[in-house]
Amino acid sequence: MKNVLGLVNIQEDNSLIRELTASRAVELVPFAGRYRLVDFTLSSMVNSGIGHVGVMLPDRPRSVLDHVRSGKEWDLSRRHEGLFYLPSVKVERESREGDLKNFYANADFFEHSDKKYVLITSGSFIYNIDFNALMDFHIEKDADITMMYHVEKGENTGKNAVLEVNGDGRAEDIAEKTVVYDGSKMSLGVYLMEKRVFVEIIRNAYEHGGNDLLVDGIIKNAGKYKIYAMEHNEYVAHVESMNAYYKSSMDLLRYDVWASLFMGKNPIYTKVKDEVPVQYKEESEVKNALIANGCIVHGSVENSILFRGVKVGKGVKIKNSVIMENCDLKDGALIENVICDKNVVVSKDKWLKGAPNYPLIVTKNVTI
Amino acid sequence: MRKTECLAMILAGGQGSRLGALTKKIAKPAVPFGGKYRIIDFPLSNCANSGITKVGVLTQYKPLELHNYLATGAAWDLDVRDGGVFILPPYAREKGADWYRGTADAIYQNLNFIELADPEYVLILSGDHIYTMDYAWMLNAHKENKADATIGVIEVPWEEAPRFGIMNTDEDGRIESFEEKPKEPKSNKASMGIYIFTKDFLKKYLEEDAVLEDSEHDFGKNIIPKMLNDGARMFSYAFEGYWKDVGTIESLWQANMDLLQEETPFDLQGKWKIYSSNPSMPPHFVGADASIKKSMISEGSMIEGEVTNSVIFPGVRVGKGAKVTNAVVMPMTQIGAGATVDYAIVAQDCIIKDNVTVKGEPGAIKVVPEGETVA
């Protein structure tokens, strides 16, 4: 994969997951106790041997810069190549939405890169993929563009591209849908193509008034290019809505999902915080949970995920919840079906309860 | 290049023979401690937190895993322009090669390295103590006292004083005499094995000592007594806080257990972070039938059984129905379903098969050495 330029698309489209994205791009939403969504695709690229990776910066880039920084944690802080940022460029009288304008603004940069291929991925998918298999597939099929998909089980809401793929792997139809049904082939937002094709697509699409890479660049060109799609049949989630976030978080409490995402030969990297191992105290009771380092647990935790540095007081009961970094749950608090963003303080003996299919969301830095 | 004011040298070459099976394959400073750390993380983190960025680590006994662990020093944020972690094993010269024959000889053999760094002061540390300390304060005291040498001391219980090197000082902290393991101690100020020397002063004594045939080339036995004898300005620097020598199986086990107390005598979550090379592992997984009490558990572990009063390192598996109590279980070890581990230290990469019992008792901690399978 030495001749591949990686591009991580960060779109900041947060309409369906607003509560967690007031201060950050959706791709930077915390996930799985210590990660951010974007870690999964960045780590997959690096583990596949891609050493030159561009990260798209949204208009409000702080959350991205603060997390990814020099790229050191992904081994991308290199003397040559390594990590680079693609800033969003404000063009005068430009009111277009979508990711295409950012790609277009950086088109000369792609053009000058000496890589033969580009691999474009989205930062809001959860997966652990070795892209070498994708490259083999792409070459074997002699494709212009190769995408990846996952066969969905059950219904999934949120904006997703759904593919129709024939027996040979050729994508016969690509459509953007708001609901994905059982058995649909959901696109993973992964596109592998020659850089030449990529630059041609973004120039052409943008200059013809396009907004969106998928819609205006790929879907509208479906007749012009040979588009193939390869299946990825391990765990995948697309965090496009609050529901999807909650559901995929709960998925991690299945040992097979946890093990396949994190404990295989390719680790997922993230910003390191040097936290102390979890301290369980005398009265702690924990069942079916993921608990990140830096937590101190006095109370009980069931079917839940605790991020780094969460304090669980005496007599606290946490059930079916996701509690993010540095939350402080004081003695006697009861918490069920709740997603707490970072730094939430729940005072002594307070009760917080959401519905099983509709979690209560507590925004960042709130004291209850 | 900015001048290095104080260079740290960590003595990490000892065999640690009192740790027996735990140091069969690795040097003592590389022995895991506290659920994710290794012993050497403590002096290294102290250096980083004290603003000392240039650190030499003197290695000799089974150094490869330690070298591998230290790497560029990035884990402790020491990979900076004018600093770094420098691994210093014995090396060959024109007239052959010598092993490090003692603590003083190890520093003597690296005088060239010290001259390259050209510091004003040299801080000498050992790689087998668990504590957090701001060496900057000690260095200030050294400068204020216009001392030739400053030795870190801690007050130990009087009945334990005969096990230590004891400093007898006047009220200003100036050291009047030093006794190694005195039967009838006159003071309870024990040397912590932490020394700051003014560089030129140290160099002179090391060079003099190196040519003495009957010297053991040891700081405690030879260098310090000689300096005192010559009337050098030597001061003690009193340290208050948790400081534990983890040189034996019992003390290593006890120091791990200390972390589990409701009011822990040593708070890893204090104002200073202890840095460590972090494995890229997810939050640990607790199964539906698990029970965890009074324990520390690290990333990447998978707990399905019962863990009580134990320290569990990254990547450990505790199977269904297994009972782990009063134990220290080091990285990547697997404990099978229904197994029992009690009063034990299980080293890294071990396999305890299903339904097997590994049982020690207080005062006789059972050790399973690295990589063993217990069936």
Side-chain angles (χ1 to χ4, degrees):
Chain A
M1 300 293 272
K2 287 273 170 255
N3 55 355
V4 178
L5 177 68
L7 294 175
V8 177
N9 196 352
I10 290 186
Q11 292 214 48
E12 208 181 11
D13 175 9
N14 52 21
S15 49
L16 294 169
I17 187 167
R18 193 163 288 144
E19 295 88 341
L20 295 180
T21 53
S23 61
R24 53 172 93 92
V26 59
E27 289 81 358
L28 272 295
V29 167
F31 188 73
R34 67 189 287 261
Y35 303 93
R36 305 291 183 123
L37 298 183
V38 73
D39 292 343
F40 293 85
T41 196
L42 265 181
S43 303
S44 292
M45 281 192 177
V46 169
N47 288 332
S48 305
I50 298 176
H52 197 194
V53 177
V55 174
M56 187 86 92
L57 283 182
D59 289 339
R60 294 174 306 152
R62 197 184 68 181
S63 61
V64 182
L65 294 171
D66 182 42
H67 180 69
V68 182
R69 301 189 297 171
S70 68
K72 190 170 176 176
E73 264 95 4
W74 295 267
D75 258 347
L76 288 172
S77 175
R78 302 260 62 88
R79 198 168 284 261
H80 302 290
E81 304 190 331
L83 178 80
F84 64 100
Y85 288 107
L86 299 172
S88 68
V89 180
K90 272 265 171 286
V91 181
E92 249 180 284
R93 289 196 300 279
E94 172 60 88
S95 59
R96 280 195 239 181
E97 297 288 321
D99 53 355
L100 200 54
K101 67 176 192 306
N102 280 6
F103 283 122
Y104 182 75
N106 290 289
D108 57 335
F109 182 85
F110 308 137
E111 225 163 18
H112 290 129
S113 158
D114 60 358
K115 304 290 179 199
K116 184 173 178 195
Y117 296 95
V118 286
L119 176 71
I120 303 118
T121 67
S122 155
S124 55
F125 283 83
I126 309 298
Y127 51 61
N128 189 342
I129 294 177
D130 182 348
F131 291 118
N132 283 291
L134 177 68
M135 179 59 92
D136 295 344
F137 181 90
H138 180 78
I139 290 168
E140 183 201 315
K141 298 292 178 191
D142 192 28
D144 291 321
I145 301 169
T146 304
M147 299 173 65
M148 290 186 94
Y149 66 88
H150 180 254
V151 179
E152 280 297 289
K153 291 183 196 73
E155 213 176 283
N156 203 348
T157 53
K159 205 170 81 175
N160 279 295
V162 172
L163 310 178
E164 299 285 338
V165 181
N166 74 11
D168 184 42
R170 184 88 186 243
E172 294 182 326
D173 188 46
I174 310 166
E176 208 168 34
K177 308 213 167 165
T178 49
V179 185
V180 177
Y181 296 104
D182 191 63
S184 299
K185 296 184 167 83
M186 179 182 79
S187 160
L188 304 189
V190 170
Y191 310 94
L192 175 64
M193 60 188 104
E194 279 188 29
K195 186 193 73 189
R196 174 185 58 77
V197 174
F198 177 61
V199 172
E200 189 178 286
I201 285 175
I202 53 176
R203 285 244 154 91
N204 197 24
Y206 183 82
E207 284 159 6
H208 289 82
N211 292 317
D212 189 74
L213 175 68
L214 170 68
V215 174
D216 303 298
I218 309 288
I219 294 180
K220 287 188 183 156
N221 281 319
K224 187 172 165 193
Y225 296 106
K226 275 188 287 178
I227 304 179
Y228 279 79
M230 186 182 131
E231 184 179 355
H232 177 68
N233 56 16
E234 279 174 65
Y235 184 78
V236 169
H238 187 201
V239 181
E240 257 287 299
S241 64
M242 228 36 246
N243 253 340
Y245 179 83
Y246 186 61
K247 182 176 166 289
S248 47
S249 290
M250 292 298 132
D251 284 347
L252 296 171
L253 297 174
R254 278 164 31 208
Y255 175 72
D256 56 322
V257 172
W258 177 84
S260 87
L261 271 179
F262 298 112
M263 301 304 283
K265 72 174 166 41
N266 291 326
I268 303 294
Y269 312 103
T270 191
K271 186 171 165 181
V272 167
K273 303 231 160 131
D274 289 288
E275 294 281 7
V276 175
V278 182
Q279 292 166 277
Y280 291 98
K281 301 296 186 180
E282 196 88 53
E283 293 143 44
S284 70
E285 262 183 63
V286 188
K287 306 233 179 285
N288 207 35
L290 279 194
I291 318 247
N293 277 3
C295 290
I296 301 178
V297 182
H298 289 274
S300 93
V301 183
E302 197 182 334
N303 285 330
S304 297
I305 297 179
L306 304 191
F307 281 67
R308 295 187 278 206
V310 171
K311 292 192 181 70
V312 179
K314 285 186 182 149
V316 169
K317 283 194 164 56
I318 303 173
K319 217 175 152 183
N320 306 327
S321 296
V322 177
I323 312 293
M324 294 191 197
E325 230 173 287
N326 296 325
C327 285
D328 188 355
L329 314 176
K330 309 269 194 203
D331 295 359
L334 292 187
I335 288 155
E336 194 174 337
N337 306 322
V338 174
I339 297 175
C340 277
D341 203 336
K342 286 167 77 170
N343 307 324
V344 168
V345 178
V346 180
S347 321
K348 206 162 173 281
D349 300 325
K350 287 281 178 295
W351 291 29
L352 288 183
K353 198 165 171 189
N357 57 346
Y358 200 85
L360 174 71
I361 295 145
V362 184
T363 53
K364 215 170 156 177
N365 306 329
V366 169
T367 300
I368 291 172
Chain B
M1 195 176 107
R2 284 181 321 183
K3 177 134 174 71
T4 302
E5 189 191 28
C6 183
L7 168 72
M9 300 287 270
I10 301 179
L11 298 162
Q15 182 177 352
S17 51
R18 289 175 303 153
L19 281 176
L22 292 177
T23 51
K24 245 186 190 153
K25 293 186 181 167
I26 55 175
K28 178 158 71 170
V31 168
F33 175 81
K36 74 179 276 198
Y37 309 97
R38 295 184 189 240
I39 295 169
I40 200 165
D41 286 335
F42 291 84
L44 282 173
S45 299
N46 288 342
C47 284
N49 285 323
S50 306
I52 294 170
T53 54
K54 197 171 240 183
V55 183
V57 181
L58 296 96
T59 64
Q60 175 160 281
Y61 173 79
K62 302 237 165 136
L64 299 184
E65 192 166 326
L66 184 58
H67 291 178
N68 192 37
Y69 183 68
L70 294 169
T72 61
W76 304 271
D77 230 358
L78 292 170
D79 56 334
V80 292
R81 194 178 305 277
D82 295 320
V85 169
F86 296 82
I87 296 169
L88 304 169
Y91 62 96
R93 297 169 189 75
E94 305 86 58
K95 288 181 188 153
D98 282 318
W99 294 108
Y100 293 152
R101 294 168 296 167
T103 51
D105 183 56
I107 302 290
Y108 169 77
Q109 289 201 39
N110 287 288
L111 275 177
N112 285 341
F113 171 76
I114 294 174
E115 287 300 340
L116 271 178
D118 193 26
E120 252 158 90
Y121 308 100
V122 181
L123 166 67
I124 293 176
L125 303 168
S126 66
D128 43 11
H129 296 123
I130 304 297
Y131 65 112
T132 53
M133 177 173 175
D134 190 340
Y135 303 132
W137 288 95
M138 182 170 166
L139 183 60
N140 279 345
H142 181 84
K143 287 191 268 189
E144 266 171 32
N145 289 330
K146 297 193 169 49
D148 298 317
T150 301
I151 300 177
V153 297
I154 185 164
E155 291 190 12
V156 294
W158 279 94
E159 64 274 17
E160 286 183 28
R163 288 176 39 222
F164 292 92
I166 294 295
M167 301 288 164
N168 303 316
T169 65
D170 69 11
E171 62 244 38
D172 295 331
R174 184 153 178 181
I175 299 168
E176 290 171 330
S177 63
F178 168 73
E179 293 173 287
E180 184 73 36
K181 301 192 173 122
K183 284 207 180 70
E184 284 166 27
K186 294 196 240 353
S187 135
N188 63 339
K189 288 181 182 159
S191 167
M192 300 164 72
I194 299 172
Y195 311 103
I196 292 179
F197 296 103
T198 301
K199 190 251 300 176
D200 293 328
F201 174 80
L202 173 67
K203 188 178 168 190
K204 174 172 161 277
Y205 276 86
L206 290 179
E207 284 172 343
E208 283 173 14
D209 176 75
V211 293
L212 297 179
E213 298 238 324
D214 58 347
S215 172
E216 287 180 50
H217 310 295
D218 185 87
F219 276 102
K221 287 183 190 139
N222 309 106
I223 303 288
I224 303 295
K226 178 77 170 52
M227 287 172 172
L228 273 173
N229 222 3
D230 292 355
R233 286 183 67 79
M234 301 178 72
F235 285 80
S236 63
Y237 176 81
F239 172 78
E240 284 170 19
Y242 186 88
W243 175 81
K244 189 121 190 161
D245 182 329
V246 288
T248 64
I249 296 286
E250 290 297 322
S251 64
L252 180 70
W253 178 84
Q254 188 56 52
N256 276 288
M257 292 300 129
D258 284 350
L259 301 171
L260 305 177
Q261 306 309 311
E262 197 72 21
E263 294 296 325
T264 167
F266 183 56
D267 189 3
L268 289 165
Q269 250 158 352
K271 74 178 163 67
W272 276 5
K273 286 213 168 174
I274 308 301
Y275 304 108
S276 181
S277 171
N278 286 275
S280 297
M281 287 200 193
H284 66 256
F285 189 98
V286 182
D289 306 318
S291 158
I292 305 173
K293 294 199 190 299
K294 251 189 113 181
S295 294
M296 273 177 93
I297 301 191
S298 200
E299 293 164 336
S301 287
M302 152 72 170
I303 312 295
E304 290 186 290
E306 248 176 67
V307 178
T308 312
N309 207 34
S310 296
V311 176
I312 310 285
F313 283 73
V316 169
R317 290 194 66 152
V318 176
K320 278 208 172 89
K323 281 191 170 52
V324 179
T325 38
N326 310 310
V328 177
V329 184
M330 293 183 178
M332 307 312 287
T333 283
Q334 297 183 25
I335 296 174
T340 303
V341 178
D342 193 14
Y343 286 104
I345 297 177
V346 185
Q348 52 273 57
D349 301 310
C350 290
I351 298 172
I352 312 289
K353 296 270 192 180
D354 294 359
N355 306 313
V356 167
T357 296
V358 173
K359 200 165 159 50
E361 52 190 79
I365 300 302
K366 174 97 180 154
V367 176
V368 180
E370 187 177 343
E372 296 248 310
T373 299
V374 184

